[in-house]
């Protein structure tokens, strides 16, 4: 799972302990999120860095969550075609596991 470190980094996750992985608006990524199960481990990938790489690990703690940002008109992730009865965007809640001392480069 990827994030730009200036938007949300593994250090942010470590400090917060857990977070909802919201704002995903890519259908393939959404489908991967739908397949995740509680207890699954995921790589935390820092993109848009030099060099990009895997910064650590996180664990899925809740699954099958409707991404709340799709219903918020003021959000840049708002989706007017989505409804609470039939949400288009699902996500998960993740918790921090570890930061790697050296990122795994591509």
């Amino acid at each position: 799972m990827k994030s730009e470190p200036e938007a949300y980094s593994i250090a942010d996750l470590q400090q917060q302990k857990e977070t909802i992985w919201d704002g995903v608006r890519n259908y393939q990524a959404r489908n991967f999120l739908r397949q995740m199960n509680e207890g699954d481990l995921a790589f935390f990938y820092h993109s848009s860095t030099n060099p990009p790489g895997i910064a650590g690990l996180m664990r899925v703690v809740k699954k099958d969550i409707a991404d709340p940002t799709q219903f918020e008109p003021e959000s840049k992730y708002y989706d007017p075609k989505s409804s609470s009865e039939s949400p288009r965007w699902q996500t998960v809640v993740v918790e921090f596991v570890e930061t790697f001392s050296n990122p795994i480069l591509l």
Side-chain angles (χ1 to χ4, degrees):
M1 298 166 70
K2 78 169 195 76
S3 180
E4 289 77 25
E6 58 278 346
Y8 192 82
S9 70
I10 194 157
D12 295 323
L13 179 58
Q14 183 175 13
Q15 181 179 25
Q16 294 177 347
K17 308 290 187 236
E18 72 175 38
T19 193
I20 186 169
W21 202 260
D22 60 2
V24 174
R25 293 299 180 270
N26 172 287
Y27 285 104
Q28 184 176 13
R30 182 217 44 201
N31 293 342
F32 288 137
L33 288 166
R34 286 179 172 174
Q35 295 173 17
M36 291 181 175
N37 292 302
E38 293 172 7
D40 285 353
L41 292 174
F43 290 123
F44 193 121
Y45 175 76
H46 277 172
S47 60
S48 300
T49 61
N50 189 16
I54 299 169
L57 284 175
M58 54 190 172
R59 179 180 296 111
V60 175
V61 294
K62 294 179 188 168
K63 65 179 213 161
D64 298 325
I65 298 169
D67 183 334
T69 61
Q70 68 191 312
F71 307 121
E72 301 168 358
E74 67 281 355
S75 172
K76 69 179 183 177
Y77 301 112
Y78 175 64
D79 186 343
K81 295 181 180 177
S82 191
S83 69
S84 57
E85 298 79 29
S86 182
R88 296 174 77 178
W89 304 102
Q90 285 78 30
T91 192
V92 296
V93 172
V94 295
E95 68 180 358
F96 174 79
V97 174
E98 73 175 293
T99 300
F100 298 154
S101 55
N102 295 306
I104 299 172
L105 305 179
L106 297 180

